[in-house]
């Protein structure tokens, strides 16, 4: 392990401007004096007033990238420190992760050296530690099930079978399904005792399978009596869910016999509350290797979630290999001091990249399909396209004034231009390859957070608006997205987007699915306009949100805090008028990755809220029980 040569410590003070200020102390821990350098840090708390800096010279900012120089002629001897303050912040810091996520030095000879950073400290107020996320919990029925079934009337047994095995005469498809769920269990719990055996066992119980036409596609029934368990199912998905329930029951009873038991008799009759039970993963801000994506899909299957919404592109990177445009995954993924994209969100001196080759995509899609999980891909357009424009600068209007608008994240001129003909040629080839890779009928096109004022400094865009008789950013966005919808329809695909797709006149509601993220009321308004809706409110279902107000609790704060109890209790359908509920297709968790710099942060923020949303997606409202959930949630697998 290399010793740390430089470290940046930081604190936030409520005083020092409308949104407080940062105080930084940079330590030279090396054995040599340091001079003629620049210091870069990345932070989601951005500087918008460069003049509000003391003892440092502000050089530039790009989104979360900030670059400073020390005062002229400063030389730091070994062991010395440079202190400076930075005000003019765009918002207050609220949590320990709101400061510098990474840092590095650029020396006068152009070399880049890493700088270690620590969590942001709080000055002038009490730095509260995080509270407990789960109470002790309480069980009325001693069964370990996530999510809880629609109806259960079962008696706990005194002992438990060593394994469950297919009854004599079982069809090969049923035996293979048991093998698949056994493999899922082994991947999630490598040290766990196998719940199933394909061969009979004198110490086990048999499972008799029966497909029942009257059951829904994802429904199943379990009957426990004597030495046999009967599993009825409506389709392979229902069979998988029934087997997953048996695996959960047996695993909990085996490893926590003082808390959980295996049923001796009775029934479980189960079916999902919603058809769309989703989880989104942002792989643009941080890259997740294929193995991590596969494991996340395993976790979704364990919780009976059936949609994996894969957010493949954003300002920070384009992660999907498109053979027609190889620079998307060369120039469009590299972030670093000397790369096409500057460091962001925890990147430092070393360049970072990462993308999914088409063979990786096929492996992930096939893996998900085998677990009855549908992969819905997203390329985020027209906004959030900094990476695309870095890889394909010919898509920009060369006469558009630089930095004529900025996105909410601080990126300049980051939207694909609807008036550039190459934009549509580019998208046509991208969609052609996506259709080949993703069998889902849905392609998510983003459509969110286009900055008001986008394109208004583009001569080509202004000419197009004049020709079409439209004015303003959002009318032009609507013009663009209608063309995109036509392109998808011609390829046999349906458009999915974030709720801003409806801005400026939107697109046709027929065969369009929109995700309401800004607040719950947005979903109701979309349904009234005729759109089918998935509810994914940031205030409850965004898993990057902090779980408490405490300073030492990590996570974002723009949507407030979202405790596991709040996430569990949130009722998306409860906000919907009865006459519109047919428009509500389901619910979805969203994992945005700005704050997920480590697996530890990922698991802390995602669990137990992901299984809480899985229960909201599956379990009827009157069967939900927070204390029961709290007793079972610690059994959850993690990434």
């Amino acid at each position: 392990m290399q010793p740390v040569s430089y470290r940046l410590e930081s604190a936030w003070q409520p005083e020092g401007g409308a949104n407080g200020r940062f105080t930084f102390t940079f330590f030279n821990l090396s054995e040599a004096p340091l001079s003629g350098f620049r210091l870069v840090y990345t932070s989601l708390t951005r500087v918008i007033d460069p003049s509000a800096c003391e003892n440092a010279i502000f050089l530039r900012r790009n989104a979360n990238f900030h670059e400073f120089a020390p005062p002229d002629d400063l030389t730091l001897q070994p062991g010395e420190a440079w202190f400076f303050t930075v005000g003019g912040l765009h918002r207050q810091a609220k949590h320990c992760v709101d400061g510098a996520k990474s840092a590095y030095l650029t020396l006068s000879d152009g070399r880049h050296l890493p700088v270690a950073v620590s969590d942001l400290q709080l000055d002038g107020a009490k730095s509260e530690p995080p509270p407990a996320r789960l109470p002790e919990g309480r069980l009325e029925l001693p069964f370990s099930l996530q999510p809880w079934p629609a109806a259960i009337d079962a008696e706990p047994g005194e002992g438990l079978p060593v394994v469950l095995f297919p009854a004599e005469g079982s069809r090969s498809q049923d035996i293979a399904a048991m093998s698949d769920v056994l493999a899922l269990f082994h991947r999630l719990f490598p040290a766990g005792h196998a719940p199933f055996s394909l061969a009979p066992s004198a110490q086990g119980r048999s499972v008799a399978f029966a497909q029942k036409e009257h059951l829904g596609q994802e429904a199943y029934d379990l009957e426990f009596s004597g030495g046999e368990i009967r599993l009825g199912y409506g389709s392979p998905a229902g069979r998988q869910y029934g087997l997953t329930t048996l695996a959960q029951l047996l695993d909990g009873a085996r490893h926590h016999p003082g808390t959980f038991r295996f049923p001796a008799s009775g029934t479980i009759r189960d079916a999902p509350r919603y058809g769309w039970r989703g989880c989104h993963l942002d792989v643009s801000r941080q890259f997740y290797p294929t193995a991590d994506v596969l494991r996340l899909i395993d976790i979704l299957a364990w919780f009976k979630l059936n949609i994996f919404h894969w957010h493949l592109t954003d300002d920070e990177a384009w992660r999907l290999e498109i053979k027609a445009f190889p620079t998307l995954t060369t120039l469009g993924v590299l972030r670093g001091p000397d790369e096409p994209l500057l460091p962001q969100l925890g990147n430092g001196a070393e360049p970072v990249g990462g993308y999914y080759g088409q063979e990786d995509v096929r492996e992930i899609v096939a893996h998900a399909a085998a677990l009855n999980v549908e992969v819905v891909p997203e390329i985020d357009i027209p906004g959030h396209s900094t990476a695309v424009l870095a890889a394909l600068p010919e898509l920009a209007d060369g006469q558009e004034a630089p930095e004529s608008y900025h996105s909410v994240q601080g990126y300049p001129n980051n939207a694909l231009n609807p008036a550039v003909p190459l934009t549509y040629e580019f998208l046509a080839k991208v969609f052609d390859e996506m259709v080949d890779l993703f069998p889902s009928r849905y392609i998510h096109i983003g459509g969110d957070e286009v900055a008001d004022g986008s394109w208004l400094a583009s001569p080509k865009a202004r000419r197009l608006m004049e020709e079409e008789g439209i004015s303003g950013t959002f009318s032009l966005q609507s013009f663009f997205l209608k063309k995109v919808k036509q392109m998808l329809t011609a390829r046999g695909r349906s458009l999915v987007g974030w709720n801003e797709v409806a801005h400026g006149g939107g697109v046709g509601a027929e065969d369009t699915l929109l995700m309401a993220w800004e607040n719950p009321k947005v979903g109701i308004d979309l349904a009234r306009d005729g759109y089918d809706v998935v509810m994914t409110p940031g205030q409850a279902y965004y898993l990057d949100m902090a779980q408490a107000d405490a300073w030492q609790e990590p996570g974002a704060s723009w949507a407030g805090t979202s405790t596991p109890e709040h996430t569990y209790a949130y009722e998306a359908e409860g906000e919907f008028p009865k006459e519109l509920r047919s428009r509500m297709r389901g619910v979805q968790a969203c994992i945005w990755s700005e704050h997920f710099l480590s697996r530890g942060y990922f698991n802390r923020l995602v669990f137990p809220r992901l299984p809480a949303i899985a229960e909201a997606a599956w379990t009827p409202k009157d069967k939900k029980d927070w204390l029961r959930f709290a007793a079972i949630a610690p059994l959850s697998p993690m990434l």
Side-chain angles (χ1 to χ4, degrees):
M1 182 179 68
Q2 292 293 324
V4 172
S5 296
Y6 309 101
R7 180 172 288 277
L8 183 67
E9 299 285 1
S10 60
W12 179 77
Q13 299 173 337
E15 302 80 18
N19 292 317
R21 67 174 184 173
F22 288 141
T23 63
F24 289 104
T25 310
F26 172 75
F27 292 88
N28 179 9
L29 304 175
S30 74
E31 297 178 354
L34 183 65
S35 63
F37 64 91
R38 288 170 285 150
L39 174 68
V40 167
Y41 70 78
T42 68
S43 174
L44 284 160
T45 308
R46 299 188 295 277
V47 176
I48 56 174
D49 180 7
S51 66
C53 302
E54 296 181 6
N55 204 36
I57 302 166
F58 179 92
L59 298 177
R60 57 174 173 157
R61 178 179 71 81
N62 179 281
N64 308 293
F65 170 98
H66 299 75
E67 187 173 32
F68 296 85
D72 293 340
D73 301 324
L74 175 73
T75 297
L76 287 180
Q77 298 297 328
E80 290 185 342
W82 163 39
F83 177 84
F84 64 101
T85 64
V86 174
L89 307 177
H90 86 291
R91 63 174 173 84
Q92 294 186 356
K94 294 186 177 180
H95 298 281
C96 62
V97 293
D98 283 340
K101 291 190 174 298
S102 59
Y104 66 89
L105 294 178
T106 299
L107 303 184
S108 57
D109 62 6
R111 287 183 297 146
H112 307 292
L113 301 179
V115 173
V117 299
S118 303
D119 277 351
L120 184 67
Q121 300 298 308
L122 176 61
D123 285 347
K126 187 174 181 181
S127 179
E128 295 285 353
R133 289 176 294 164
L134 289 170
E136 184 175 344
R138 180 196 64 225
L139 292 170
E140 294 183 4
L141 289 173
F143 301 127
S144 57
L145 290 172
Q146 297 183 89
W148 196 254
I152 180 169
D153 182 13
E155 292 294 325
E158 290 302 319
L160 71 158
V162 172
V163 291
L164 307 177
F165 59 89
E168 185 177 354
S170 294
R171 299 183 309 159
S172 61
Q173 301 97 311
D174 297 326
I175 297 172
M178 181 175 277
S179 177
D180 289 343
V181 175
L182 176 58
L184 171 66
F185 176 86
H186 277 314
R187 292 194 300 270
L188 291 176
F189 307 100
H193 187 285
F196 302 136
S197 168
L198 303 190
S201 168
Q203 299 179 67
R205 292 175 72 177
S206 64
V207 179
F209 296 87
Q211 188 162 8
K212 299 180 179 180
E213 293 184 0
H214 71 278
L215 290 177
Q217 289 290 299
E218 297 184 297
Y220 68 92
D221 289 344
L222 286 167
E223 297 180 12
F224 301 86
S225 62
E228 184 177 74
I229 299 166
R230 291 185 291 277
L231 169 56
Y233 59 89
S235 76
R239 178 177 58 199
Q240 174 188 306
Y241 298 146
L243 287 166
T244 303
T245 289
L246 290 173
Q248 290 180 355
L249 285 167
L250 187 50
D251 184 60
R254 172 175 285 118
H255 289 101
H256 304 276
T259 304
F260 301 111
R261 312 271 281 283
F262 192 80
S265 61
T267 61
I268 295 175
R269 306 201 184 281
D270 204 8
R273 183 178 182 185
Y274 298 117
W276 186 290
R277 305 182 304 281
C279 179
H280 150 291
L281 178 66
D282 160 26
V283 299
S284 178
R285 274 57 179 264
Q286 310 293 346
F287 180 70
Y288 297 80
T290 296
D292 285 354
V293 177
L294 294 173
R295 181 168 176 86
L296 179 61
I297 290 171
D298 283 344
I299 293 169
L300 304 189
W302 188 251
F303 294 138
K304 302 184 176 76
L305 294 165
N306 66 345
I307 300 290
F308 174 53
H309 171 180
W310 201 3
H311 185 86
L312 287 158
T313 76
D314 216 297
D315 288 303
E316 289 80 4
W318 177 289
R319 303 291 190 189
L320 174 64
E321 180 189 17
I322 299 295
K323 294 185 182 297
F325 302 102
T327 56
L328 288 172
T329 45
T330 55
L331 303 179
V333 297
L334 282 175
R335 301 201 297 256
D338 302 312
E339 302 301 337
L341 300 170
L342 289 171
Q344 304 283 350
L345 301 170
N347 308 137
E350 292 298 320
V352 296
Y355 68 92
Y356 304 96
Q358 295 198 356
E359 289 309 307
D360 299 319
V361 172
R362 290 190 172 93
E363 178 187 3
I364 288 166
V365 169
H367 183 86
L371 294 169
N372 294 289
V373 175
E374 180 178 348
V375 179
V376 175
E378 179 186 355
I379 59 165
D380 202 346
I381 55 174
H384 289 281
S385 292
T386 297
V388 177
L389 294 167
L392 299 168
E394 61 269 28
L395 295 180
D397 179 354
Q399 295 182 306
E400 184 175 17
E403 303 209 24
S404 57
Y405 63 90
H406 288 80
S407 74
V408 67
Q409 287 84 13
Y411 285 95
N413 293 27
N414 73 329
L416 292 179
N417 195 317
V420 174
L422 280 174
T423 296
Y424 303 101
E425 296 178 28
F426 162 72
L427 291 173
K429 292 178 180 179
V430 170
F431 290 147
D432 284 342
E433 296 194 31
M434 292 181 72
V435 165
D436 181 58
L437 291 169
F438 298 99
S440 173
R441 63 174 282 209
Y442 298 107
I443 290 180
H444 198 301
I445 53 79
D448 62 314
E449 294 186 327
V450 173
D452 194 3
S454 298
W455 310 307
L456 299 187
S458 161
K460 290 182 178 180
R462 295 189 68 83
R463 187 159 54 248
L464 176 62
M465 287 190 282
E466 184 177 345
E467 291 170 357
E468 296 294 331
I470 56 179
S471 63
T473 292
F474 300 118
S475 293
L476 187 53
Q477 173 182 301
S478 174
F479 171 88
F480 169 80
L481 292 177
K482 286 173 182 175
K483 285 185 173 291
V484 169
K485 181 175 172 67
Q486 290 171 357
M487 297 168 75
L488 293 177
T489 300
R491 290 164 174 78
R493 296 296 188 265
S494 300
L495 184 148
V496 189
W498 303 107
N499 53 245
E500 294 99 317
V501 166
H503 287 180
V507 301
E510 184 179 355
D511 206 28
T512 297
L513 178 65
L514 298 186
M515 295 184 169
W517 68 272
E518 289 183 282
N519 59 64
K521 181 180 179 298
V522 167
I524 298 171
D525 292 341
L526 292 173
R528 285 202 176 98
D529 290 338
Y531 292 105
D532 285 346
V533 178
V534 170
M535 295 295 286
T536 177
Q539 296 80 3
Y541 289 174
Y542 271 32
L543 300 186
D544 58 319
M545 290 298 118
Q547 297 175 81
D549 290 329
W551 178 265
Q552 296 171 36
E553 182 73 39
S557 57
W558 65 262
T561 56
S562 182
T563 66
E565 183 175 10
H566 171 69
T567 296
Y568 183 83
Y570 181 81
E571 274 294 309
E573 186 174 303
E575 306 285 343
F576 261 71
K578 287 184 179 180
E579 67 272 15
L580 296 177
R581 286 184 185 171
S582 63
R583 292 285 181 196
M584 185 182 155
R585 296 279 303 282
V587 299
Q588 178 170 291
C590 283
I591 303 173
W592 297 101
S593 296
E594 287 93 334
H595 287 287
F596 293 176
L597 303 189
S598 69
R599 190 177 297 265
Y601 268 149
F602 184 99
N603 285 329
R604 178 181 178 82
L605 285 161
V606 170
F607 303 98
R609 293 185 295 183
L610 180 59
I613 296 169
E615 191 146 310
W618 183 280
T619 307
K621 177 183 178 182
D622 62 352
K623 297 296 192 299
K624 290 168 66 177
D625 182 327
W626 164 242
L627 290 179
R628 180 199 64 222
F629 173 82
I632 300 171
L635 303 182
S636 299
M638 295 185 182
L639 194 66

